[in-house]
Amino acid sequence: MKRLFLFITTIIIFIIPSQADEGMWLPYLLQLNEKDMQANGMKISAEDIYSINHGSLKDAVVLFGSGCTGEIVSDQGLLLTNHHCGYGRIQAHSTLEHDYLTNGFWAMNKNEELPNPGFTVTLLVSMKDVTREVLEGVKDNMSESERQSIINKNINKIKETAVIGTHYQARITPIYNNNQYLLFINEVFTDIRLVGAPPSNIGKFGGDTDNWMWPRHTGDFSVFRIYTGKDGKPAPYSKDNIPYRPKRHLKISLKDINEGDFTFVFGYPGSTQQFIPSYAVELIKDQTDPIAIDLRTKRLDIIKRYINNDRLTRIQYASKAAGISNGWKKWIGELQGLDRLNTVKNKQNIEAQFLTWIQNDPSRQQKYGTLLDQYKNLYAQLQPVAKENSYFMEAFYSIEIVEFMWKLKSLLTLNPNTPDADKERILKNAANNIKSFFKDYNSKLDKEIFILLANEYFQHSQYTRNKIDVEKTADRIFSRSLFLQQEKLEQLVASGNVKALQKLNNDVLVKFAMPYFDLYIDSVSPQYQALNKQITSLNRIWTQALMEMQPDKQFYPDANLTLRVAYGKVAGFEPQDGVKYKHYTTIEGIMQKENPDIYDYVVEPRLKELYNNKDYGRYANSKGEMPVAFIATNHTTGGNSGSPVLNAYGELIGLNFDRCWEGTMSDIQYDPQVCRNITLDIRYCLFIIDKFAGAGHLIEEMDIVN
Ligand code: ARG
Ligand code: GLU
């Protein structure tokens, strides 16, 4: 009986083609999903979403910077993305007198829009499969390095010829763990201006407390505009540039959003690992995640104590803390999810099926017979090296002053023979680094972190068993090192006196830290990379085997910061026994969370006024509520922030900005029961622009369907 049951479950795992809602699909192959999408409610065609023959939705979706997504919403290049994606730009324009982060910023006409030199957005022109061309000349029996060098040569050639005579850029990325290759032709825009941002009390409402959580009330958006040269082509900032005229901009829907409605997310997911073997999941679950979580918990405890007691430290460390806490919280959710789904066991089941599948087939035996043993062996070797790596990165290198010293290390190499041009560059970089470091540095806080993290590092690194009195060392470094004395260090760098600079090599901090950097660079990192390289080539073969073993399953490639479509339905979920989450939130929740004494929950007086008067204009739903956010089953990950969330007609209904905590293991295993992406309702975004900020001229540019 038990046997039979096992047999049946095995078959079921085999047969289910792909779980509903899971998947980040390639837009140029979307015909393969079209039927399923339409069966789930989509009213447009795959060709409406991605076409190389005529304008399609893809012409309105951009990679924003290098880790977020944005969408064009007017025929004048108006761009929406998340507040946390625009954060760096908003911060860069903020000063004590013009604190746009705190108070928000709104350009009331195009002349007031703020340029961001060096910042880019990237628009996809086309994509295609170039696997055959990339693998030309590659043979099965080649060594990995021979193989890679042929591939690199082919890639360079294809990239070069692909963009001849155009202003486009080419990029080739492997998919399916180096089994296939895609060519992307991109147009890169270089004049991107800040148009608007809500105050942090709206754009970051709930802060790190609510991050990754539902119910959510964050107005996580900011507004930019793409400019081009007079010829309509990308050009660096010039005041004569003109607003970009896109081939396509998104229409915006203000209609009700109901549970069960079809939605899709069109954007740039960064990285997922669906194909990894059980050994890799074990490593993440038993070692990598727990170490990082533990170290960050302790580090955040210290930072929070300082932030809560001092306003200046809050300004200096808010963004740092957000970065540390974002990963920390995600990994906690991921661990719980991997446990709950029993992902290791699921992977082991697939591996068992695989063994059966190759058992009686000599050619499979020959190709794949040793695969799992090799994995097992490599992960056994990787485990201690990865631990060493984690403690180096998350403990030792996470001490701010240590990282700062490392960034200035080229100062230590200056000597009388250094060519003038190099010297000048090194001194200039150092001067910039010093200025920006001390602007946001609290040495008392960092000394506590030093004592904490250095202790952790020395306790856990297998290389550093000899006794070090960390507290005494900290006392010495923090009282004597020149790297902690801004003025002296600045003077030294400004002097350009090589002899004096060379003395930095005897600085207490350098003397203390350098040996551990040497150790890492000479020993840990090379081992770590060598093992990962071997694992990467096994991954290629393993992925190939999995695809061969399940010929009827529709696969999607792991996310790799290329344009994808994820689709699903608006849906609440049950995070725990007895708890049910609704699919949307409203402004009522903002008022329920309001607490003038807690930084994350301060509500702007103007917003309260609008709330008290129920002055929601055309943006309320049919029940008269002001919706703020909703959740759906779309499979998303980091990088999807700012992605357009569209309805069955391809109209914009919101901006993706997060996932629910219970589902963050979806980077490894997706679960339709609890994996939900969190979307800012476009109606709240427009309400803030229009009613709160009085920037109605931006609304007029947009194409709104009621
Ligand atoms: N969790 C979101 C993402 O992964 C938002 C991060 C920014 N917000 C924050 N409170 N740290 O990027
Ligand atoms: N906030 C994430 C981002 O910046 C999206 C959340 C996620 O799904 O990982 O891309």
Side-chain angles (χ1 to χ4, degrees):
M1 186 62 198
K2 219 168 158 194
R3 264 259 182 80
L4 182 69
F5 178 72
L6 221 109
F7 179 70
I8 292 174
T9 39
T10 315
I11 294 214
I12 290 175
I13 293 171
F14 247 129
I15 289 177
I16 294 178
S18 75
Q19 277 177 323
D21 312 307
E22 174 180 358
M24 301 172 173
W25 306 98
L26 291 166
Y28 86 107
L29 293 177
L30 211 57
Q31 283 86 355
L32 299 172
N33 302 86
E34 190 177 48
K35 263 214 183 90
D36 188 46
M37 293 173 88
Q38 288 170 344
N40 277 291
M42 186 173 76
K43 303 290 185 210
I44 57 175
S45 67
E47 178 84 1
D48 293 328
I49 296 174
Y50 177 93
S51 169
I52 46 169
N53 303 313
H54 49 79
S56 58
L57 294 176
K58 80 127 174 41
D59 298 312
V61 182
V62 299
L63 177 66
F64 184 82
S66 54
C68 277
T69 308
E71 53 275 355
I72 302 170
V73 292
S74 87
D75 60 3
Q76 302 171 53
L78 198 66
L79 195 67
L80 295 179
T81 189
N82 287 149
H83 184 266
H84 77 262
C85 295
Y87 201 84
R89 274 2 81 201
I90 306 165
Q91 183 174 43
H93 290 292
S94 296
T95 59
L96 274 179
E97 300 84 67
H98 301 284
D99 188 352
Y100 300 142
L101 268 186
T102 307
N103 306 316
F105 167 77
W106 299 97
M108 285 306 164
N109 57 59
K110 294 205 177 74
N111 288 328
E112 290 178 7
E113 297 176 359
L114 301 172
N116 300 282
F119 191 76
T120 61
V121 309
T122 303
L123 185 68
L124 176 71
V125 177
S126 67
M127 63 198 291
K128 72 171 189 184
D129 189 311
V130 288
T131 308
R132 205 172 38 83
E133 295 89 325
V134 169
L135 294 182
E136 198 173 295
V138 169
K139 306 246 156 42
D140 272 349
N141 55 3
M142 278 178 170
S143 74
E144 281 301 313
S145 64
E146 255 178 299
R147 182 187 160 92
Q148 206 47 53
S149 93
I150 293 183
I151 289 177
N152 290 345
K153 248 188 243 147
N154 289 344
I155 284 183
N156 286 336
K157 204 171 73 201
I158 303 166
K159 270 171 46 176
E160 219 170 275
T161 49
V163 291
I164 285 177
T166 71
H167 63 280
Y168 298 147
Q169 297 184 8
R171 173 184 163 203
I172 291 182
T173 12
I175 53 169
Y176 295 119
N177 288 321
N178 297 302
N179 280 292
Q180 294 176 29
Y181 291 82
L182 297 178
L183 167 67
F184 296 85
I185 306 292
N186 291 320
E187 190 171 23
V188 180
F189 294 90
T190 45
D191 184 355
I192 314 302
R193 302 186 197 171
L194 176 63
V195 174
S200 287
N201 288 345
I202 290 173
K204 256 183 92 70
F205 185 78
D208 288 317
T209 323
D210 283 10
N211 192 24
W212 298 110
M213 313 269 271
W214 188 253
R216 193 64 162 279
H217 301 88
T218 314
D220 198 345
F221 78 96
S222 55
V223 191
F224 288 79
R225 191 188 303 280
I226 305 175
Y227 281 79
T228 66
K230 289 223 165 71
D231 57 0
K233 293 200 177 119
Y237 170 77
S238 150
K239 68 176 186 357
D240 298 330
N241 281 351
I242 56 168
Y244 173 53
R245 296 200 69 89
K247 266 211 258 177
R248 186 72 178 261
H249 63 271
L250 299 181
K251 290 193 172 133
I252 296 173
S253 162
L254 300 184
K255 283 178 288 231
D256 276 354
I257 299 169
N258 296 309
E259 185 138 37
D261 282 358
F262 175 84
T263 65
F264 66 105
V265 179
F266 203 2
Y268 282 88
S271 149
T272 56
Q273 338 181 47
Q274 59 176 316
F275 293 109
I276 52 176
S278 59
Y279 307 105
V281 182
E282 274 172 334
L283 186 67
I284 294 170
K285 193 170 99 52
D286 299 337
Q287 183 172 294
T288 319
D289 278 2
I291 291 176
I293 292 167
D294 175 52
L295 291 171
R296 288 189 183 206
T297 306
K298 295 170 178 158
R299 185 147 61 116
L300 283 165
D301 281 347
I302 296 179
I303 297 176
K304 273 187 215 149
R305 178 155 42 79
Y306 277 83
I307 282 184
N308 290 338
N309 287 325
D310 179 44
R311 275 197 53 205
L312 176 65
T313 317
R314 170 177 290 283
I315 295 170
Q316 293 175 321
Y317 281 77
S319 166
K320 295 181 197 177
I324 300 166
S325 139
N326 196 43
W328 167 78
K329 206 159 172 184
K330 187 207 145 173
W331 296 320
I332 296 175
E334 180 172 271
L335 267 189
Q336 292 172 358
L338 292 174
D339 261 337
R340 197 177 46 235
L341 288 186
N342 221 338
T343 304
V344 172
K345 189 91 198 78
N346 295 334
K347 294 277 181 188
Q348 286 168 347
N349 287 343
I350 295 179
E351 287 155 14
Q353 282 172 43
F354 164 80
L355 289 177
T356 321
W357 178 71
I358 62 171
Q359 203 164 44
N360 297 317
D361 185 314
S363 80
R364 287 177 193 159
Q365 270 294 347
Q366 204 211 337
K367 239 160 107 186
Y368 304 125
T370 62
L371 195 54
L372 287 180
D373 286 338
Q374 280 179 272
Y375 262 139
K376 187 173 174 185
N377 183 352
L378 281 171
Y379 275 99
Q381 291 179 59
L382 183 64
Q383 187 262 331
V385 185
K387 181 173 168 192
E388 201 63 46
N389 188 67
S390 288
Y391 275 103
F392 186 82
M393 298 309 291
E394 287 286 334
F396 192 72
Y397 194 59
S398 292
I399 300 167
E400 283 183 87
I401 199 67
V402 169
E403 188 193 346
F404 176 57
M405 187 276 295
W406 183 247
K407 286 206 173 127
L408 293 184
K409 66 178 181 307
S410 45
L411 280 182
L412 306 176
T413 65
L414 288 175
N415 62 65
N417 301 324
T418 311
D420 280 349
D422 290 348
K423 182 177 156 191
E424 208 171 297
R425 181 178 44 80
I426 289 172
L427 291 175
K428 203 172 145 217
N429 280 343
N432 287 337
N433 266 326
I434 295 168
K435 217 167 102 201
S436 61
F437 176 77
F438 282 104
K439 180 173 160 282
D440 290 334
Y441 184 64
N442 180 327
S443 64
K444 233 175 111 196
L445 183 163
D446 195 33
K447 188 177 174 190
E448 277 197 50
I449 300 244
F450 181 103
I451 292 170
L452 164 79
L453 292 183
N455 262 321
E456 291 280 352
Y457 175 63
F458 293 130
Q459 267 166 36
H460 292 96
S461 169
Q462 56 175 329
Y463 293 107
T464 56
R465 288 278 155 73
N466 46 346
K467 267 218 169 326
I468 288 174
D469 187 329
V470 169
E471 282 193 38
K472 274 206 184 118
T473 311
D475 282 341
R476 238 178 338 115
I477 290 173
F478 281 79
S479 63
R480 281 196 231 150
S481 172
L482 212 57
F483 287 89
L484 282 137
Q485 303 171 38
Q486 179 174 8
E487 240 172 76
K488 281 195 187 158
L489 191 59
E490 273 171 346
Q491 279 166 9
L492 178 61
V493 169
S495 80
N497 180 339
V498 170
K499 272 238 170 75
L501 282 160
Q502 278 181 317
K503 289 206 187 112
L504 279 178
N505 280 295
N506 298 321
D507 184 272
V508 283
L509 176 60
V510 175
K511 283 259 184 242
F512 162 75
M514 271 310 176
Y516 303 106
F517 277 106
D518 290 343
L519 192 73
Y520 182 78
I521 285 163
D522 298 338
S523 167
V524 182
S525 169
Q527 287 180 59
Y528 189 63
Q529 283 178 27
L531 288 166
N532 273 314
K533 214 166 139 187
Q534 292 181 63
I535 288 173
T536 302
S537 42
L538 278 193
N539 287 344
R540 181 180 81 239
I541 300 165
W542 175 234
T543 305
Q544 183 191 343
L546 287 176
M547 294 173 86
E548 230 176 280
M549 180 170 100
Q550 299 148 277
D552 296 328
K553 176 168 167 165
Q554 193 189 352
F555 285 92
Y556 59 93
D558 272 319
N560 60 354
L561 213 62
T562 57
L563 189 60
R564 302 297 177 88
V565 172
Y567 60 95
K569 288 188 156 141
V570 174
F573 70 110
E574 295 180 17
Q576 309 154 35
D577 183 43
V579 180
K580 208 167 178 164
Y581 279 152
K582 241 167 64 171
H583 65 281
Y584 75 109
T585 59
T586 71
I587 199 169
E588 292 297 332
I590 296 180
M591 299 315 300
Q592 287 166 8
K593 283 178 180 173
E594 186 198 14
N595 185 338
D597 299 328
I598 299 180
Y599 184 84
D600 287 343
Y601 297 114
V602 176
V603 177
E604 290 283 313
R606 170 81 188 130
L607 188 62
K608 243 197 273 192
E609 186 185 320
L610 290 164
Y611 166 79
N612 286 331
N613 298 330
K614 301 283 170 281
D615 186 3
Y616 307 144
R618 63 206 280 212
Y619 308 110
N621 66 15
S622 63
K623 291 189 198 156
E625 303 162 328
M626 184 65 245
V628 174
F630 64 89
I631 48 178
T633 60
N634 302 297
H635 189 184
T636 54
T637 188
N640 268 125
S641 275
S643 297
V645 180
L646 304 128
N647 66 12
Y649 300 91
E651 298 156 352
L652 185 66
I653 54 173
L655 270 57
N656 185 76
F657 70 99
D658 213 354
R659 261 177 298 168
C660 292
W661 211 15
E662 296 78 5
T664 46
M665 71 297 178
S666 66
D667 290 348
I668 298 167
Q669 189 184 352
Y670 181 90
D671 175 11
Q673 298 302 321
V674 296
C675 288
R676 297 290 180 271
N677 67 310
I678 306 181
T679 302
L680 166 69
D681 195 302
I682 197 67
R683 291 170 292 185
Y684 185 60
C685 169
L686 299 193
F687 160 77
I688 295 294
I689 294 177
D690 189 351
K691 291 282 181 176
F692 175 86
H697 60 287
L698 297 176
I699 307 283
E700 270 157 40
E701 269 186 52
M702 302 176 190
D703 214 338
I704 297 178
V705 290
N706 276 301

